[in-house]
Short mmCIF file of all heavy atoms in Angstrom, two decimals:
data_model
loop_
_atom_site.label_atom_id
_atom_site.label_comp_id
_atom_site.label_asym_id
_atom_site.label_seq_id
_atom_site.Cartn_x
_atom_site.Cartn_y
_atom_site.Cartn_z
N MET A 19 0.85 -1.17 0.00
CA MET A 19 0.00 0.00 0.00
C MET A 19 0.90 1.23 0.00
O MET A 19 1.45 1.62 1.01
CB MET A 19 -0.92 -0.05 1.23
CG MET A 19 -1.77 1.14 1.37
SD MET A 19 -3.07 1.06 2.65
CE MET A 19 -2.48 -0.11 3.84
N SER A 20 1.10 1.85 -1.11
CA SER A 20 1.94 3.03 -1.23
C SER A 20 1.18 4.26 -0.76
O SER A 20 -0.03 4.36 -0.92
CB SER A 20 2.37 3.20 -2.68
OG SER A 20 3.18 4.33 -2.80
N SER A 21 1.91 5.20 -0.15
CA SER A 21 1.26 6.40 0.34
C SER A 21 2.28 7.53 0.42
O SER A 21 3.48 7.31 0.29
CB SER A 21 0.65 6.15 1.72
OG SER A 21 1.63 5.68 2.60
N ASP A 22 1.81 8.71 0.64
CA ASP A 22 2.66 9.87 0.87
C ASP A 22 1.98 10.66 1.97
O ASP A 22 1.16 11.53 1.71
CB ASP A 22 2.80 10.70 -0.41
CG ASP A 22 3.79 11.84 -0.22
OD1 ASP A 22 4.69 11.74 0.63
OD2 ASP A 22 3.63 12.85 -0.92
N TYR A 23 2.29 10.30 3.21
CA TYR A 23 1.59 10.84 4.36
C TYR A 23 2.55 11.65 5.21
O TYR A 23 3.64 11.18 5.53
CB TYR A 23 1.01 9.69 5.19
CG TYR A 23 0.22 10.12 6.38
CD1 TYR A 23 -1.11 10.49 6.26
CD2 TYR A 23 0.81 10.17 7.63
CE1 TYR A 23 -1.84 10.88 7.36
CE2 TYR A 23 0.09 10.57 8.74
CZ TYR A 23 -1.23 10.93 8.59
OH TYR A 23 -1.94 11.34 9.69
N ARG A 24 2.16 12.85 5.59
CA ARG A 24 2.95 13.68 6.49
C ARG A 24 2.13 13.94 7.74
O ARG A 24 0.92 14.18 7.66
CB ARG A 24 3.33 15.01 5.83
CG ARG A 24 4.30 14.81 4.69
CD ARG A 24 4.57 16.09 3.92
NE ARG A 24 5.31 15.77 2.72
CZ ARG A 24 6.65 15.73 2.66
NH1 ARG A 24 7.36 16.01 3.72
NH2 ARG A 24 7.24 15.43 1.54
N GLY A 25 2.79 13.88 8.90
CA GLY A 25 2.09 14.10 10.16
C GLY A 25 2.95 14.88 11.12
O GLY A 25 4.12 15.15 10.87
N ARG A 26 2.33 15.27 12.25
CA ARG A 26 3.05 16.04 13.26
C ARG A 26 2.35 15.88 14.59
O ARG A 26 1.19 15.48 14.67
CB ARG A 26 3.12 17.51 12.88
CG ARG A 26 1.77 18.19 12.88
CD ARG A 26 1.87 19.65 12.47
NE ARG A 26 0.63 20.35 12.79
CZ ARG A 26 0.53 21.24 13.78
NH1 ARG A 26 1.57 21.53 14.52
NH2 ARG A 26 -0.62 21.82 14.02
N CYS A 27 3.07 16.27 15.65
CA CYS A 27 2.47 16.27 16.98
C CYS A 27 1.61 17.54 17.10
O CYS A 27 1.60 18.38 16.21
CB CYS A 27 3.56 16.24 18.05
SG CYS A 27 4.62 17.68 18.06
N LEU A 28 0.91 17.67 18.23
CA LEU A 28 0.00 18.80 18.39
C LEU A 28 0.71 20.15 18.32
O LEU A 28 0.19 21.10 17.74
CB LEU A 28 -0.76 18.68 19.72
CG LEU A 28 -1.87 17.65 19.74
CD1 LEU A 28 -2.47 17.54 21.15
CD2 LEU A 28 -2.96 18.01 18.74
N CYS A 29 1.90 20.28 18.92
CA CYS A 29 2.58 21.58 18.91
C CYS A 29 3.38 21.81 17.63
O CYS A 29 3.84 22.91 17.38
CB CYS A 29 3.49 21.72 20.13
SG CYS A 29 5.02 20.78 20.05
N GLY A 30 3.57 20.77 16.82
CA GLY A 30 4.28 20.91 15.55
C GLY A 30 5.78 20.72 15.64
O GLY A 30 6.47 20.82 14.63
N ALA A 31 6.32 20.42 16.83
CA ALA A 31 7.77 20.26 16.98
C ALA A 31 8.25 18.99 16.29
O ALA A 31 9.34 18.96 15.72
CB ALA A 31 8.15 20.24 18.46
N VAL A 32 7.47 17.93 16.37
CA VAL A 32 7.85 16.65 15.77
C VAL A 32 7.06 16.47 14.48
O VAL A 32 5.82 16.51 14.48
CB VAL A 32 7.56 15.47 16.73
CG1 VAL A 32 7.92 14.15 16.08
CG2 VAL A 32 8.31 15.66 18.04
N THR A 33 7.77 16.32 13.36
CA THR A 33 7.11 16.08 12.08
C THR A 33 7.74 14.87 11.41
O THR A 33 8.91 14.56 11.63
CB THR A 33 7.24 17.32 11.14
OG1 THR A 33 8.63 17.58 10.93
CG2 THR A 33 6.56 18.54 11.74
N TYR A 34 6.95 14.19 10.59
CA TYR A 34 7.45 12.97 9.94
C TYR A 34 6.79 12.80 8.57
O TYR A 34 5.77 13.43 8.26
CB TYR A 34 7.19 11.74 10.81
CG TYR A 34 5.74 11.55 11.19
CD1 TYR A 34 4.88 10.81 10.37
CD2 TYR A 34 5.21 12.12 12.33
CE1 TYR A 34 3.55 10.64 10.70
CE2 TYR A 34 3.89 11.96 12.67
CZ TYR A 34 3.06 11.21 11.86
OH TYR A 34 1.74 11.05 12.17
N HIS A 35 7.41 11.93 7.81
CA HIS A 35 6.93 11.63 6.46
C HIS A 35 6.94 10.12 6.29
O HIS A 35 7.93 9.46 6.57
CB HIS A 35 7.85 12.30 5.43
CG HIS A 35 7.50 12.00 4.02
ND1 HIS A 35 8.46 11.69 3.08
CD2 HIS A 35 6.32 11.94 3.37
CE1 HIS A 35 7.87 11.47 1.92
NE2 HIS A 35 6.57 11.60 2.07
N ILE A 36 5.83 9.55 5.85
CA ILE A 36 5.71 8.11 5.63
C ILE A 36 5.47 7.88 4.15
O ILE A 36 4.60 8.50 3.54
CB ILE A 36 4.54 7.53 6.46
CG1 ILE A 36 4.86 7.64 7.95
CG2 ILE A 36 4.26 6.08 6.06
CD1 ILE A 36 3.71 7.30 8.86
N THR A 37 6.28 7.00 3.58
CA THR A 37 6.14 6.72 2.15
C THR A 37 5.35 5.45 1.88
O THR A 37 4.87 5.25 0.76
CB THR A 37 7.52 6.60 1.48
OG1 THR A 37 8.28 5.60 2.17
CG2 THR A 37 8.25 7.93 1.52
N GLN A 38 5.23 4.58 2.92
CA GLN A 38 4.46 3.35 2.69
C GLN A 38 4.02 2.74 4.02
O GLN A 38 4.83 2.52 4.91
CB GLN A 38 5.30 2.32 1.94
CG GLN A 38 4.54 1.06 1.63
CD GLN A 38 5.34 0.13 0.74
OE1 GLN A 38 6.30 0.55 0.10
NE2 GLN A 38 4.96 -1.13 0.69
N PHE A 39 2.71 2.48 4.14
CA PHE A 39 2.17 1.74 5.29
C PHE A 39 2.16 0.26 4.95
O PHE A 39 2.01 -0.13 3.80
CB PHE A 39 0.72 2.17 5.57
CG PHE A 39 0.61 3.48 6.30
CD1 PHE A 39 0.34 4.64 5.61
CD2 PHE A 39 0.75 3.53 7.67
CE1 PHE A 39 0.22 5.85 6.28
CE2 PHE A 39 0.63 4.72 8.35
CZ PHE A 39 0.36 5.89 7.65
N GLU A 40 2.31 -0.57 5.98
CA GLU A 40 2.12 -2.01 5.81
C GLU A 40 0.63 -2.31 5.85
O GLU A 40 -0.18 -1.44 6.16
CB GLU A 40 2.87 -2.77 6.92
CG GLU A 40 4.36 -2.53 6.90
CD GLU A 40 4.99 -2.89 5.57
OE1 GLU A 40 4.85 -4.05 5.14
OE2 GLU A 40 5.62 -2.03 4.94
N THR A 41 0.27 -3.52 5.56
CA THR A 41 -1.16 -3.86 5.47
C THR A 41 -1.80 -4.10 6.83
O THR A 41 -3.02 -4.14 6.93
CB THR A 41 -1.37 -5.10 4.59
OG1 THR A 41 -0.59 -6.16 5.11
CG2 THR A 41 -0.99 -4.81 3.15
N ASP A 42 -0.98 -4.27 7.90
CA ASP A 42 -1.54 -4.51 9.24
C ASP A 42 -1.96 -3.18 9.86
O ASP A 42 -1.13 -2.42 10.35
CB ASP A 42 -0.52 -5.20 10.14
CG ASP A 42 -0.27 -6.63 9.72
OD1 ASP A 42 -1.14 -7.21 9.04
OD2 ASP A 42 0.80 -7.16 10.07
N ILE A 43 -3.23 -2.91 9.86
CA ILE A 43 -3.80 -1.72 10.49
C ILE A 43 -4.97 -2.19 11.33
O ILE A 43 -5.73 -3.07 10.92
CB ILE A 43 -4.28 -0.71 9.42
CG1 ILE A 43 -3.08 -0.21 8.61
CG2 ILE A 43 -5.01 0.46 10.06
CD1 ILE A 43 -3.45 0.72 7.48
N GLY A 44 -5.10 -1.64 12.54
CA GLY A 44 -6.17 -2.12 13.41
C GLY A 44 -6.62 -1.08 14.42
O GLY A 44 -6.02 -0.03 14.56
N HIS A 45 -7.70 -1.41 15.11
CA HIS A 45 -8.24 -0.58 16.18
C HIS A 45 -8.01 -1.29 17.50
O HIS A 45 -8.12 -2.51 17.58
CB HIS A 45 -9.75 -0.38 16.00
CG HIS A 45 -10.14 0.30 14.74
ND1 HIS A 45 -9.74 1.56 14.41
CD2 HIS A 45 -10.90 -0.13 13.72
CE1 HIS A 45 -10.25 1.88 13.23
NE2 HIS A 45 -10.95 0.87 12.79
N CYS A 46 -7.73 -0.52 18.55
CA CYS A 46 -7.64 -1.08 19.89
C CYS A 46 -8.68 -0.39 20.76
O CYS A 46 -8.78 0.83 20.75
CB CYS A 46 -6.24 -0.89 20.48
SG CYS A 46 -6.09 -1.64 22.11
N HIS A 47 -9.44 -1.20 21.50
CA HIS A 47 -10.51 -0.67 22.35
C HIS A 47 -10.17 -0.80 23.84
O HIS A 47 -11.03 -0.67 24.69
CB HIS A 47 -11.82 -1.43 22.09
CG HIS A 47 -12.35 -1.27 20.71
ND1 HIS A 47 -11.87 -1.99 19.64
CD2 HIS A 47 -13.31 -0.45 20.21
CE1 HIS A 47 -12.52 -1.63 18.55
NE2 HIS A 47 -13.39 -0.71 18.86
N CYS A 48 -8.90 -1.04 24.18
CA CYS A 48 -8.55 -1.20 25.60
C CYS A 48 -8.71 0.14 26.32
O CYS A 48 -8.71 1.21 25.71
CB CYS A 48 -7.13 -1.75 25.74
SG CYS A 48 -5.81 -0.55 25.56
N THR A 49 -8.84 0.09 27.65
CA THR A 49 -9.10 1.32 28.41
C THR A 49 -7.92 2.28 28.35
O THR A 49 -8.12 3.50 28.39
CB THR A 49 -9.43 0.98 29.87
OG1 THR A 49 -8.37 0.18 30.42
CG2 THR A 49 -10.75 0.23 29.97
N MET A 50 -6.68 1.78 28.24
CA MET A 50 -5.53 2.68 28.13
C MET A 50 -5.61 3.48 26.82
O MET A 50 -5.40 4.69 26.80
CB MET A 50 -4.23 1.90 28.18
CG MET A 50 -3.01 2.80 28.18
SD MET A 50 -1.46 1.92 28.38
CE MET A 50 -1.35 1.09 26.81
N CYS A 51 -5.93 2.83 25.72
CA CYS A 51 -6.06 3.54 24.44
C CYS A 51 -7.24 4.50 24.46
O CYS A 51 -7.16 5.59 23.89
CB CYS A 51 -6.20 2.53 23.29
SG CYS A 51 -4.64 1.70 22.91
N GLN A 52 -8.32 4.13 25.13
CA GLN A 52 -9.47 5.03 25.23
C GLN A 52 -9.07 6.30 25.98
O GLN A 52 -9.39 7.41 25.57
CB GLN A 52 -10.62 4.33 25.94
CG GLN A 52 -11.26 3.25 25.10
CD GLN A 52 -12.30 2.46 25.87
OE1 GLN A 52 -12.36 2.49 27.10
NE2 GLN A 52 -13.13 1.73 25.13
N ARG A 53 -8.33 6.16 27.08
CA ARG A 53 -7.90 7.33 27.86
C ARG A 53 -6.89 8.16 27.08
O ARG A 53 -6.95 9.39 27.06
CB ARG A 53 -7.27 6.88 29.19
CG ARG A 53 -8.28 6.35 30.16
CD ARG A 53 -7.62 6.11 31.53
NE ARG A 53 -8.55 5.44 32.40
CZ ARG A 53 -8.43 4.18 32.80
NH1 ARG A 53 -7.39 3.48 32.44
NH2 ARG A 53 -9.34 3.63 33.56
N PHE A 54 -5.93 7.50 26.45
CA PHE A 54 -4.86 8.20 25.75
C PHE A 54 -5.41 9.03 24.59
O PHE A 54 -4.94 10.14 24.33
CB PHE A 54 -3.84 7.18 25.23
CG PHE A 54 -2.61 7.80 24.65
CD1 PHE A 54 -1.64 8.36 25.46
CD2 PHE A 54 -2.42 7.83 23.28
CE1 PHE A 54 -0.51 8.94 24.93
CE2 PHE A 54 -1.28 8.41 22.74
CZ PHE A 54 -0.33 8.97 23.57
N HIS A 55 -6.41 8.53 23.88
CA HIS A 55 -6.93 9.22 22.71
C HIS A 55 -8.23 9.97 22.97
O HIS A 55 -8.69 10.70 22.10
CB HIS A 55 -7.14 8.22 21.56
CG HIS A 55 -5.85 7.66 21.05
ND1 HIS A 55 -5.12 8.27 20.07
CD2 HIS A 55 -5.15 6.58 21.42
CE1 HIS A 55 -4.01 7.58 19.85
NE2 HIS A 55 -4.00 6.55 20.65
N GLY A 56 -8.82 9.78 24.17
CA GLY A 56 -10.08 10.45 24.47
C GLY A 56 -11.18 10.02 23.53
O GLY A 56 -12.03 10.82 23.14
N ALA A 57 -11.16 8.75 23.15
CA ALA A 57 -12.13 8.22 22.19
C ALA A 57 -12.46 6.78 22.55
O ALA A 57 -11.87 6.19 23.46
CB ALA A 57 -11.56 8.30 20.78
N ALA A 58 -13.40 6.21 21.83
CA ALA A 58 -13.82 4.83 22.08
C ALA A 58 -12.75 3.82 21.67
O ALA A 58 -12.74 2.69 22.14
CB ALA A 58 -15.12 4.54 21.34
N PHE A 59 -11.83 4.23 20.78
CA PHE A 59 -10.76 3.33 20.32
C PHE A 59 -9.64 4.16 19.71
O PHE A 59 -9.81 5.35 19.46
CB PHE A 59 -11.29 2.31 19.29
CG PHE A 59 -11.86 2.94 18.06
CD1 PHE A 59 -11.06 3.22 16.97
CD2 PHE A 59 -13.21 3.27 17.99
CE1 PHE A 59 -11.57 3.80 15.83
CE2 PHE A 59 -13.73 3.85 16.85
CZ PHE A 59 -12.92 4.11 15.78
N SER A 60 -8.51 3.54 19.47
CA SER A 60 -7.43 4.19 18.73
C SER A 60 -7.09 3.32 17.52
O SER A 60 -7.35 2.12 17.52
CB SER A 60 -6.19 4.38 19.61
OG SER A 60 -5.73 3.14 20.07
N THR A 61 -6.51 3.92 16.53
CA THR A 61 -6.18 3.22 15.30
C THR A 61 -4.66 3.20 15.13
O THR A 61 -3.99 4.21 15.33
CB THR A 61 -6.82 3.92 14.09
OG1 THR A 61 -8.23 4.01 14.32
CG2 THR A 61 -6.55 3.17 12.80
N PHE A 62 -4.13 2.02 14.80
CA PHE A 62 -2.69 1.84 14.63
C PHE A 62 -2.39 1.35 13.22
O PHE A 62 -3.12 0.52 12.68
CB PHE A 62 -2.15 0.80 15.62
CG PHE A 62 -2.32 1.23 17.05
CD1 PHE A 62 -3.43 0.85 17.78
CD2 PHE A 62 -1.36 2.01 17.66
CE1 PHE A 62 -3.58 1.24 19.10
CE2 PHE A 62 -1.51 2.41 18.97
CZ PHE A 62 -2.62 2.02 19.70
N GLY A 63 -1.31 1.85 12.67
CA GLY A 63 -0.84 1.37 11.37
C GLY A 63 0.64 1.06 11.47
O GLY A 63 1.40 1.80 12.10
N GLU A 64 1.07 -0.02 10.86
CA GLU A 64 2.47 -0.43 10.90
C GLU A 64 3.24 0.20 9.75
O GLU A 64 2.77 0.24 8.62
CB GLU A 64 2.55 -1.95 10.80
CG GLU A 64 3.96 -2.47 10.91
CD GLU A 64 4.03 -3.98 10.80
OE1 GLU A 64 2.97 -4.63 10.83
OE2 GLU A 64 5.13 -4.50 10.66
N VAL A 65 4.46 0.69 10.08
CA VAL A 65 5.34 1.30 9.08
C VAL A 65 6.75 0.75 9.30
O VAL A 65 7.24 0.73 10.44
CB VAL A 65 5.36 2.84 9.23
CG1 VAL A 65 6.35 3.46 8.26
CG2 VAL A 65 3.98 3.42 9.04
N LYS A 66 7.40 0.31 8.26
CA LYS A 66 8.79 -0.12 8.37
C LYS A 66 9.68 1.11 8.50
O LYS A 66 9.38 2.16 7.92
CB LYS A 66 9.21 -0.95 7.16
CG LYS A 66 8.53 -2.30 7.13
CD LYS A 66 9.05 -3.14 6.01
CE LYS A 66 8.41 -4.52 6.07
NZ LYS A 66 8.78 -5.36 4.94
N LEU A 67 10.78 0.97 9.27
CA LEU A 67 11.65 2.12 9.52
C LEU A 67 12.16 2.75 8.23
O LEU A 67 12.30 3.98 8.15
CB LEU A 67 12.83 1.70 10.40
CG LEU A 67 12.50 1.52 11.89
CD1 LEU A 67 13.74 1.05 12.65
CD2 LEU A 67 11.96 2.81 12.48
N GLU A 68 12.43 1.93 7.22
CA GLU A 68 12.94 2.50 5.97
C GLU A 68 11.89 3.34 5.22
O GLU A 68 12.21 4.06 4.29
CB GLU A 68 13.50 1.42 5.05
CG GLU A 68 12.49 0.39 4.59
CD GLU A 68 12.54 -0.89 5.42
OE1 GLU A 68 12.90 -0.83 6.60
OE2 GLU A 68 12.21 -1.94 4.87
N ASN A 69 10.63 3.23 5.65
CA ASN A 69 9.56 4.02 5.04
C ASN A 69 9.12 5.20 5.90
O ASN A 69 8.11 5.83 5.62
CB ASN A 69 8.36 3.13 4.73
CG ASN A 69 8.71 2.05 3.74
OD1 ASN A 69 9.45 2.30 2.79
ND2 ASN A 69 8.23 0.84 3.95
N LEU A 70 9.88 5.45 6.95
CA LEU A 70 9.58 6.55 7.88
C LEU A 70 10.75 7.51 7.91
O LEU A 70 11.90 7.10 8.10
CB LEU A 70 9.32 6.00 9.29
CG LEU A 70 9.24 7.02 10.41
CD1 LEU A 70 8.03 7.94 10.24
CD2 LEU A 70 9.20 6.31 11.75
N GLU A 71 10.48 8.79 7.72
CA GLU A 71 11.52 9.82 7.77
C GLU A 71 11.10 10.86 8.81
O GLU A 71 10.01 11.44 8.72
CB GLU A 71 11.65 10.48 6.40
CG GLU A 71 12.62 11.63 6.38
CD GLU A 71 12.63 12.37 5.04
OE1 GLU A 71 11.72 12.14 4.22
OE2 GLU A 71 13.55 13.17 4.84
N TRP A 72 11.96 11.06 9.82
CA TRP A 72 11.70 12.12 10.81
C TRP A 72 12.15 13.43 10.19
O TRP A 72 13.32 13.58 9.84
CB TRP A 72 12.46 11.83 12.10
CG TRP A 72 11.98 10.59 12.78
CD1 TRP A 72 12.62 9.39 12.82
CD2 TRP A 72 10.75 10.42 13.47
NE1 TRP A 72 11.85 8.49 13.51
CE2 TRP A 72 10.70 9.09 13.92
CE3 TRP A 72 9.68 11.26 13.76
CZ2 TRP A 72 9.62 8.58 14.64
CZ3 TRP A 72 8.61 10.75 14.48
CH2 TRP A 72 8.58 9.44 14.92
N LEU A 73 11.26 14.39 10.08
CA LEU A 73 11.60 15.67 9.46
C LEU A 73 12.09 16.68 10.48
O LEU A 73 12.91 17.54 10.18
CB LEU A 73 10.38 16.23 8.71
CG LEU A 73 9.82 15.33 7.61
CD1 LEU A 73 8.55 15.93 7.02
CD2 LEU A 73 10.85 15.10 6.52
N SER A 74 11.59 16.59 11.71
CA SER A 74 12.04 17.49 12.78
C SER A 74 11.64 16.91 14.13
O SER A 74 10.71 16.11 14.22
CB SER A 74 11.43 18.88 12.62
OG SER A 74 10.02 18.83 12.80
N GLY A 75 12.37 17.31 15.16
CA GLY A 75 11.98 17.02 16.54
C GLY A 75 12.23 15.61 17.03
O GLY A 75 11.77 15.27 18.12
N TYR A 76 12.99 14.81 16.31
CA TYR A 76 13.23 13.42 16.74
C TYR A 76 13.80 13.38 18.16
O TYR A 76 13.43 12.54 18.97
CB TYR A 76 14.17 12.71 15.77
CG TYR A 76 14.51 11.31 16.20
CD1 TYR A 76 13.61 10.27 15.99
CD2 TYR A 76 15.71 11.03 16.85
CE1 TYR A 76 13.91 8.97 16.39
CE2 TYR A 76 16.00 9.73 17.26
CZ TYR A 76 15.11 8.72 17.02
OH TYR A 76 15.38 7.45 17.44
N GLU A 77 14.69 14.33 18.49
CA GLU A 77 15.35 14.36 19.80
C GLU A 77 14.35 14.67 20.92
O GLU A 77 14.67 14.47 22.09
CB GLU A 77 16.49 15.38 19.79
CG GLU A 77 16.06 16.83 19.68
CD GLU A 77 15.64 17.26 18.27
OE1 GLU A 77 15.82 16.48 17.32
OE2 GLU A 77 15.12 18.39 18.14
N GLN A 78 13.16 15.13 20.59
CA GLN A 78 12.17 15.45 21.62
C GLN A 78 11.25 14.28 21.93
O GLN A 78 10.40 14.38 22.82
CB GLN A 78 11.34 16.67 21.18
CG GLN A 78 12.19 17.91 21.02
CD GLN A 78 11.35 19.13 20.76
OE1 GLN A 78 10.38 19.39 21.46
NE2 GLN A 78 11.73 19.89 19.74
N LEU A 79 11.38 13.19 21.20
CA LEU A 79 10.54 12.02 21.46
C LEU A 79 10.92 11.40 22.79
O LEU A 79 12.09 11.33 23.16
CB LEU A 79 10.69 11.01 20.33
CG LEU A 79 10.17 11.44 18.98
CD1 LEU A 79 10.49 10.36 17.94
CD2 LEU A 79 8.68 11.69 19.03
N LYS A 80 9.93 10.92 23.52
CA LYS A 80 10.14 10.24 24.80
C LYS A 80 9.46 8.88 24.73
O LYS A 80 8.57 8.63 23.94
CB LYS A 80 9.51 11.05 25.94
CG LYS A 80 10.02 12.47 26.04
CD LYS A 80 11.38 12.52 26.64
CE LYS A 80 11.80 13.94 26.91
NZ LYS A 80 12.87 14.41 26.12
N GLU A 81 9.89 8.00 25.62
CA GLU A 81 9.32 6.66 25.68
C GLU A 81 8.47 6.55 26.94
O GLU A 81 8.83 7.07 28.00
CB GLU A 81 10.44 5.62 25.73
CG GLU A 81 9.94 4.21 25.66
CD GLU A 81 11.09 3.22 25.51
OE1 GLU A 81 11.92 3.43 24.62
OE2 GLU A 81 11.15 2.27 26.30
N PHE A 82 7.35 5.88 26.83
CA PHE A 82 6.45 5.66 27.96
C PHE A 82 6.20 4.17 28.10
O PHE A 82 5.80 3.52 27.13
CB PHE A 82 5.12 6.39 27.73
CG PHE A 82 4.07 6.08 28.76
CD1 PHE A 82 4.15 6.60 30.03
CD2 PHE A 82 3.01 5.25 28.45
CE1 PHE A 82 3.20 6.31 30.98
CE2 PHE A 82 2.04 4.95 29.40
CZ PHE A 82 2.15 5.48 30.66
N GLN A 83 6.47 3.64 29.28
CA GLN A 83 6.23 2.23 29.53
C GLN A 83 4.98 2.12 30.39
O GLN A 83 4.99 2.51 31.57
CB GLN A 83 7.43 1.58 30.23
CG GLN A 83 7.27 0.10 30.48
CD GLN A 83 7.27 -0.70 29.19
OE1 GLN A 83 8.11 -0.50 28.33
NE2 GLN A 83 6.31 -1.59 29.06
N ALA A 84 3.91 1.62 29.83
CA ALA A 84 2.66 1.48 30.57
C ALA A 84 2.71 0.29 31.52
O ALA A 84 3.38 -0.70 31.24
CB ALA A 84 1.50 1.29 29.59
N GLU A 85 2.03 0.42 32.64
CA GLU A 85 1.89 -0.73 33.55
C GLU A 85 0.94 -1.72 32.92
O GLU A 85 -0.06 -1.33 32.32
CB GLU A 85 1.34 -0.26 34.90
CG GLU A 85 2.29 0.64 35.64
CD GLU A 85 1.72 1.08 36.98
OE1 GLU A 85 0.81 0.41 37.49
OE2 GLU A 85 2.20 2.10 37.49
N THR A 86 1.25 -2.99 33.07
CA THR A 86 0.35 -4.01 32.48
C THR A 86 -0.38 -4.76 33.55
O THR A 86 -0.09 -4.68 34.70
CB THR A 86 1.15 -5.02 31.64
OG1 THR A 86 2.18 -5.60 32.44
CG2 THR A 86 1.73 -4.34 30.44
ZN1 ZN B 117 -5.02 -0.49 23.54
#
């Protein structure tokens, strides 16, 4: 599935460009995803690293480890 998708975080500091999504795309309805997105579900799409380009703000990314 070829694409040309550009995205960013809410403040615009982190921007990225995706040239191709993989076919595995899904919704998660767990309570953590509901809280994180403020919605009934969140949607995830898989992208290979070679198809992802960080345009700005990569150094501002943080990692969050959720309790299971
Ligand atoms: Zn979830």
Side-chain angles (χ1 to χ4, degrees):
M19 177 171 25
S20 180
S21 55
D22 185 26
Y23 182 83
R24 292 174 190 271
R26 67 181 194 108
C27 64
L28 285 175
C29 75
V32 179
T33 60
Y34 57 89
H35 177 223
I36 294 171
T37 55
Q38 183 173 341
F39 281 99
E40 299 303 303
T41 55
D42 290 338
I43 296 176
H45 300 299
C46 183
H47 297 80
C48 80
T49 55
M50 185 175 70
C51 286
Q52 289 174 344
R53 288 188 187 110
F54 188 75
H55 293 272
F59 60 89
S60 60
T61 304
F62 297 93
E64 183 180 350
V65 176
K66 291 186 176 175
L67 284 178
E68 63 262 29
N69 298 320
L70 169 65
E71 176 186 13
W72 296 105
L73 301 175
S74 66
Y76 177 79
E77 67 284 352
Q78 297 187 50
L79 294 176
K80 303 284 188 247
E81 185 172 309
F82 173 73
Q83 182 68 47
E85 294 180 21
T86 56

